[in-house]
Amino acid sequence: MAEELDLMGQDSDGDSDEVVLTPAELIERLEEAWMNEKFAPELLESKSEIVECVIEQLDHMEENLRRAKKGDLKVSIHRMEMERIRYVLNSYLRCRLMKIEKFFPHILEKEKTRSDREPSCLSPEEFAFAKEYMANTETYLKNVALKHMPPNLQKVDLLRSVPKPDLDSYVFLRVKERQENILVEPETDEQRDYVIDLEEGSQHLIRYKTIAPLVASGAVQLI
Amino acid sequence: MFCEKAMELIRELHHTPEGQLPAFNEDGLRQILEEMKALYEQNQSDVNEAKSDGRSDLIPTIKFRHCSLLRNRRCTVAYLYDRLLRIRALRWEYGSVLPNALRFHMSAEEMEWFNRYKKSLATYMRSLGGEEGLDVTQDMKPPKSLYIEVRCLRDYGEFEVDDGTSVVLKKNSQHFLPRWKCEQLIRQGILEHVLS
């Protein structure tokens, strides 16, 4: 796709620890992040670098298309490709926004107590959005109802009222890197915990909580 | 029985299908707040009596009223929050400008919440790369084809397509237009996707 439109020369907006990706690899990463985000019950780590690079990519493609000859068949094909990429990108960002809105007290609490070494689940813009959403909602509830209630009932603990993501929900995954000795905790009291190995290329249906760190590290892909 | 009005509000929303917003039940909310005030005042006086006169037989009643107060609050907050979620969905469905019919069903405070939400979302979208940012509310469905056949449902006027050419959207006219340009108008009900 990219070769014909001479995009290979572009760099990927690299930080010092970024690997330069080909456009095809970048889109693959985007699709992986998109699927993981769609199927994971909680908000995953923010992938702003991928988002930025993809947007840059789309801008380049748009520019190239504008310069290209009108009526050229390649133009339609490339435009279709752009549409598909834009759909995946928008779907990814929407999915994240929906989770942020759904679990906002928990996400903000997690961000507050996060250590510097842990990566953030929120991009700076998402963080601002989440804070505004929380402030907006709290102010609304206070002004419309809570401040008219008896004094000892005016505070509502949103962390307790808003449901948390269900980390015990089941997800499908495909193993990218072989994993050994994954501890599977029992669901009921009658069961015992056991240990499994995950072979590369195998597919499983498993509780999200068990493999959450593997999603973060990229060892498994949610499908 | 206490909390009847609160239950009524919950039931009202429970019976309303997703995507719809009934009128804001201001009266119901007011009644609940009044009931809460009355319960609280009764409890205040009973608590004083229990403390000063050692009337421990009042304690079950006090507890019962307290439970009713908590239930009222929970139902109220649930009602208000569920409405907010429905209103939020409206931004994604209809865009920034809401149809009048829906606006009449919203209270002034809900409208304010909506405006703040809109602004917050716009700020976020603008911050995503490039000069204009990225409109995340577009491209809601995977693209099937580049161009689609659309019929105009209402007079709209001139509409600019690629490279400067424009089309006049008159009622009942049909056009073959790029899909991504039409998406917003389709959602607003100005264009209709013709599936032949």
Side-chain angles (χ1 to χ4, degrees):
Chain A
M1 138 195 116
E3 293 73 36
E4 293 166 33
L5 288 186
D6 184 33
L7 284 170
M8 290 302 285
Q10 117 186 38
D11 70 314
S12 68
D13 196 43
D15 299 74
S16 53
D17 52 347
E18 270 288 303
V19 174
V20 174
L21 299 170
T22 66
E25 284 170 345
L26 174 66
I27 301 305
E28 201 181 307
R29 290 274 188 96
L30 173 68
E31 286 180 4
E32 285 171 358
W34 173 60
M35 285 204 290
N36 278 342
E37 196 73 65
K38 261 176 92 100
F39 297 123
E42 61 174 351
L43 186 69
L44 299 178
E45 207 179 299
S46 155
K47 301 272 180 206
S48 331
E49 341 76 53
I50 298 185
V51 172
E52 272 170 36
C53 291
V54 171
I55 294 180
E56 220 179 270
Q57 176 90 312
L58 285 173
D59 284 343
H60 278 268
M61 286 176 84
E62 180 76 48
E63 225 181 270
N64 282 330
L65 283 182
R66 234 175 272 157
R67 285 192 265 120
K69 256 195 336 206
K70 254 183 66 172
D72 197 352
L73 181 64
K74 278 195 285 189
V75 171
S76 300
I77 299 177
H78 284 296
R79 205 169 263 296
M80 196 63 198
E81 183 70 34
M82 275 180 64
E83 297 258 299
R84 290 205 187 96
I85 296 173
R86 198 181 295 125
Y87 167 74
V88 173
L89 178 65
N90 276 349
S91 183
Y92 171 70
L93 293 171
R94 273 198 296 269
C95 183
R96 288 181 63 83
L97 279 185
M98 285 201 305
K99 283 191 202 172
I100 290 173
E101 289 174 8
K102 194 163 176 191
F103 304 121
F104 67 95
H106 307 287
I107 291 177
L108 286 170
E109 183 68 22
K110 189 165 159 195
E111 183 64 20
K112 205 162 72 169
T113 56
R114 174 177 71 92
S115 74
D116 283 333
R117 286 175 295 114
E118 286 169 62
S120 175
C121 286
L122 297 166
S123 72
E125 297 82 17
E126 285 171 340
F127 185 41
F129 177 80
K131 281 194 291 191
E132 283 166 19
Y133 188 80
M134 175 137 172
N136 195 10
T137 307
E138 276 186 330
T139 309
Y140 170 78
L141 290 174
K142 190 171 84 167
N143 288 340
V144 172
L146 294 176
K147 77 176 182 203
H148 303 293
M149 291 188 181
N152 62 331
L153 290 169
Q154 286 184 6
K155 291 223 87 71
V156 169
D157 185 2
L158 288 175
L159 277 173
R160 283 195 27 210
S161 329
V162 175
K164 284 179 126 132
D166 181 11
L167 300 178
D168 283 323
S169 48
Y170 276 78
V171 292
F172 281 98
L173 61 85
R174 184 176 52 237
V175 180
K176 285 164 70 176
E177 292 163 20
R178 184 165 194 276
Q179 301 294 313
E180 292 182 356
N181 298 330
I182 303 295
L183 181 67
V184 180
E185 279 170 310
E187 269 180 283
T188 64
D189 290 330
E190 295 99 49
Q191 296 172 349
R192 298 170 45 133
D193 49 8
Y194 56 94
V195 159
I196 57 170
D197 289 339
L198 298 174
E199 297 298 330
E200 189 180 321
S202 62
Q203 292 177 182
H204 302 265
L205 175 62
I206 196 170
R207 282 208 309 286
Y208 175 75
K209 193 154 63 173
T210 313
I211 47 91
L214 301 178
V215 177
S217 71
V220 305
Q221 168 73 48
L222 297 184
I223 53 177
Chain B
M1 199 61 270
F2 299 134
C3 307
E4 290 249 356
K5 203 67 196 175
M7 283 309 294
E8 211 181 284
L9 287 193
I10 300 290
R11 242 178 258 123
E12 192 185 291
L13 282 183
H14 189 61
H15 289 150
T16 312
E18 213 181 291
Q20 283 184 28
L21 186 74
F24 187 77
N25 198 334
E26 197 161 333
D27 215 40
L29 180 63
R30 194 181 41 81
Q31 285 180 40
I32 297 173
L33 291 173
E34 275 170 14
E35 183 181 278
M36 287 180 78
K37 184 156 177 275
L39 285 170
Y40 181 69
E41 282 167 358
Q42 286 165 5
N43 257 5
Q44 289 281 67
S45 82
D46 275 6
V47 163
N48 285 335
E49 223 184 295
K51 280 208 276 220
S52 58
D53 299 342
R55 296 275 313 274
S56 54
D57 60 310
L58 289 175
I59 292 183
T61 321
I62 293 171
K63 283 195 180 157
F64 176 70
R65 286 202 202 99
H66 187 66
C67 286
S68 304
L69 282 167
L70 288 175
R71 188 172 175 73
N72 268 333
R73 181 177 74 169
R74 184 171 176 182
C75 291
T76 308
V77 175
Y79 173 75
L80 295 173
Y81 189 63
D82 189 79
R83 284 182 65 93
L84 287 186
L85 294 180
R86 288 171 196 253
I87 292 171
R88 174 249 181 228
L90 295 177
R91 166 67 187 87
W92 289 82
E93 181 61 36
Y94 291 101
S96 302
V97 181
L98 294 182
N100 281 331
L102 287 167
R103 272 202 286 202
F104 291 148
H105 284 183
M106 289 165 61
S107 71
E109 293 85 2
E110 283 179 331
M111 202 61 209
E112 211 181 294
W113 185 91
F114 179 74
N115 287 334
R116 289 217 190 96
Y117 176 75
K118 256 186 352 187
K119 197 154 151 254
S120 189
L121 184 63
T123 308
Y124 168 74
M125 294 198 291
R126 225 180 2 252
S127 73
L128 297 165
E131 307 142 8
E132 302 154 3
L134 187 69
D135 187 351
V136 183
T137 65
Q138 299 282 355
D139 303 298
M140 296 292 274
K141 293 210 175 73
K144 287 260 162 68
S145 62
L146 267 188
Y147 281 74
I148 51 171
E149 188 80 25
V150 287
R151 183 183 301 120
C152 193
L153 297 173
R154 294 206 293 270
D155 276 332
Y156 183 76
E158 264 194 42
F159 182 55
E160 197 189 308
V161 201
D162 300 322
D163 52 29
T165 59
S166 50
V167 193
V168 177
L169 296 177
K170 262 176 79 79
K171 185 167 172 187
N172 284 329
S173 60
Q174 260 183 242
H175 308 271
F176 193 57
L177 295 176
R179 194 194 55 85
W180 69 92
K181 287 242 170 232
C182 304
E183 202 179 326
Q184 180 84 326
L185 292 177
I186 292 176
R187 287 228 297 277
Q188 286 173 354
I190 296 172
L191 291 178
E192 181 189 35
H193 187 184
V194 175
L195 304 148
S196 48

